[in-house]
Amino acid sequence: MSDTGANTAKVARPLSRGGPLDALRFFAAFFIVVYHYAEQAPVSLFSIHPAFGRGYLATDFFLLLSGYVLGRAYGSRVSDGRIHDGAFLIKRIGRVWPAHLVMIAAFVALVLGTTALGMQPRNPQWYQWDQLPQQVFLIQTWGFQGPSGWNMPTWTLSALLVCYALFPTMWRLFSRIGSPWMALLVGCAVFVAVDVFSRQVFGLPSFHLHLKNGLYRAIPLFLMGVLIARLAREVVIGPKLADALAVFAVVGFVVLNGIGEFAYPSLALLGLLIFAASGSAQNGWGWAKTGGRLSFSLYLTNQFVGAVWFAMQRLLDQKVALPEAAHWAIWAMAFPAALVFAWLFERLVDAPLQDWLKPRLEKATAGWGGKRERNQAAQAMVTTLR
């Protein structure tokens, strides 16, 4: 078999740092930052080209990628009964919630501090105190009323908590479908059905739903990512074909969105890009490894950096008359500022929190075991009694 073809007998490449997957994680997070900062430019990027207003595609890509990564990392362990469903969920919550709490505390401090100085938030509807508990406990997408609020991007974390809880059941259920292609087709049917339901009930496609209904958007996309992970494990492609498919997906995505809004084809190409990344032999990219590590922190902190940065820019505008080129330069500098802040947050906050928390969660869930471990323990007990 040529290395350009597909072969179900080959072994899928393991997930590794510094390759296409890390690069994709970083680009998805960075485009979300572009989307969030677009309206703060001297001329809104949304008015320059409609493609800048399709940040939902970056978020959808993030959800697809989340399902894919978990499917690749934990799918076989779920199938073999080597992980307890509750232990899996607790560890996933432990991965996202502590850093989220730190950023929520930072937003609260920012709002209290600026209010004490007589500076009101530019969008006060985002910082309503009665919505803070929903934000703290990451339940804002579970049907609650109100605007996005506080650290808006964390709506995806709220939805992903439910996805994490469903993941083991998803994997087992769709594993009963013998063909990974058929499983993926069923997943596509689920996505389309939920989108049709959303249009009929809410009057919006699923990718434009209000954030309080984010579960309808997130769960089908996460499921699609999980099924792409299964496909990548069972249908292994050679590196040349993988790289060719990746180029096709990227070029096709750019061309499509340059022409107009083609949501379904765009999502299909993003799914193809993720699948292609599984077969690529490219690795050792230092920048991608760093970017992959920063992606979560960048996603979590960019709204805070933007709130501070552009508030300072408005204060400067009130005191100094700057030319338009200077406004563009200041706006552009928000992106390296977001990257630097994310790097500091990852190094000084997120990584130390995880280093402290992981062994404690391992210890707390050590006795739970998966089905396989429980069966082995039971068999050992029977042998001992005999």
Side-chain angles (χ1 to χ4, degrees), residues 74-156:
Y74 294 98
S76 61
R77 298 175 65 184
V78 170
S79 297
D80 297 343
R82 286 180 286 134
I83 186 168
H84 186 278
D85 293 6
F88 170 80
L89 178 59
I90 286 176
K91 290 175 182 178
R92 297 314 304 168
I93 293 173
R95 176 64 192 95
V96 301
W97 200 34
H100 157 71
L101 289 179
V102 172
M103 284 311 304
I104 282 293
F107 270 98
V108 170
L110 177 65
V111 171
L112 290 175
T114 53
T115 301
L117 294 173
M119 301 167 57
Q120 293 300 317
R122 188 180 186 185
N123 296 290
Q125 73 276 11
W126 288 0
Y127 306 107
Q128 296 182 23
W129 295 104
D130 62 346
Q131 294 179 30
L132 185 60
Q134 303 166 23
Q135 294 282 324
V136 168
F137 292 104
L138 287 175
I139 57 174
Q140 64 266 42
T141 59
W142 300 4
F144 290 96
Q145 298 290 335
S148 54
W150 299 90
N151 195 6
M152 184 269 290
T154 59
W155 78 265
T156 56

Side-chain angles (χ1 to χ4, degrees), residues 301-329:
T301 63
N302 76 86
Q303 197 83 347
F304 179 83
V305 173
V308 173
W309 187 271
F310 297 118
M312 294 174 61
Q313 183 180 17
R314 287 190 293 272
L315 287 175
L316 180 63
D317 287 342
Q318 293 172 6
K319 299 180 180 298
V320 182
L322 295 173
E324 185 176 2
H327 284 107
W328 276 106

Side-chain angles (χ1 to χ4, degrees), residues 11 14 110 158 175 182 199 222 243 261 265 273 339 347 354 381:
V11 178
L110 177 65
S158 170
S175 293
M182 182 57 67
R199 293 170 191 266
F222 180 86
D243 293 341
E261 184 175 18
L273 181 58
L339 290 172
R347 291 296 180 94
Q354 290 302 305
M381 182 175 293

Side-chain angles (χ1 to χ4, degrees), residues 4 16 128 139 226 281 288 294 350:
T4 61
S16 61
Q128 296 182 23
I139 57 174
V226 169
L294 288 183
D350 189 35

Side-chain angles (χ1 to χ4, degrees), residues 143-373:
F144 290 96
Q145 298 290 335
S148 54
W150 299 90
N151 195 6
M152 184 269 290
T154 59
W155 78 265
T156 56
L157 300 182
S158 170
L160 280 173
L161 291 184
V162 177
C163 294
Y164 296 156
L166 293 175
F167 169 72
T169 301
M170 283 181 180
W171 187 268
R172 295 189 192 102
L173 181 63
F174 280 84
S175 293
R176 296 176 183 175
I177 302 175
S179 166
W181 294 105
M182 182 57 67
L184 186 61
L185 184 62
V186 173
C188 290
V190 170
F191 173 82
V192 173
V194 172
D195 190 51
V196 171
F197 170 83
S198 171
R199 293 170 191 266
Q200 293 296 319
V201 174
F202 302 113
L204 293 168
S206 59
F207 42 83
H208 286 323
L209 282 175
H210 299 301
L211 300 189
K212 68 175 183 177
N213 298 316
L215 291 179
Y216 294 102
R217 176 181 175 184
I219 293 175
L221 287 164
F222 180 86
L223 172 62
M224 292 293 294
V226 169
L227 297 178
I228 293 171
R230 181 189 168 187
L231 184 69
R233 287 181 56 198
E234 299 183 28
V235 180
V236 182
I237 59 176
K240 291 183 179 179
L241 177 59
D243 293 341
L245 289 176
V247 170
F248 172 80
V250 170
V251 172
F253 180 84
V254 171
V255 170
L256 271 184
N257 284 278
I259 298 172
E261 184 175 18
F262 299 93
Y264 277 20
S266 293
L267 287 174
L269 288 169
L270 291 176
L272 177 62
L273 181 58
I274 293 173
F275 174 72
S278 68
S280 178
Q282 305 293 335
N283 56 46
W285 299 340
W287 65 269
K289 183 177 181 179
T290 301
R293 287 178 59 90
L294 288 183
S295 58
F296 175 66
S297 294
L298 183 61
Y299 191 82
L300 195 62
T301 63
N302 76 86
Q303 197 83 347
F304 179 83
V305 173
V308 173
W309 187 271
F310 297 118
M312 294 174 61
Q313 183 180 17
R314 287 190 293 272
L315 287 175
L316 180 63
D317 287 342
Q318 293 172 6
K319 299 180 180 298
V320 182
L322 295 173
E324 185 176 2
H327 284 107
W328 276 106
I330 294 172
W331 174 81
M333 288 299 294
F335 295 98
L339 290 172
V340 170
F341 190 90
W343 182 81
L344 291 172
F345 186 86
E346 195 275 331
R347 291 296 180 94
L348 302 178
V349 178
D350 189 35
L353 276 174
Q354 290 302 305
D355 289 342
W356 179 86
L357 188 61
K358 279 183 179 180
R360 288 162 175 78
L361 290 181
E362 290 290 345
K363 183 178 180 180
T365 59
W368 295 19
K371 181 178 179 181
R372 181 177 178 181
E373 282 76 4

Side-chain angles (χ1 to χ4, degrees), residues 1-42:
M1 171 68 74
S2 167
D3 71 351
T4 61
N7 187 344
T8 56
K10 289 182 179 179
V11 178
R13 294 181 181 274
L15 297 180
S16 61
R17 288 290 187 183
L21 189 61
D22 275 338
L24 293 180
R25 292 170 62 192
F26 173 73
F27 286 131
F30 189 78
F31 187 77
I32 289 172
V33 180
V34 174
Y35 176 70
H36 289 160
Y37 293 179
E39 283 195 294
Q40 305 294 336

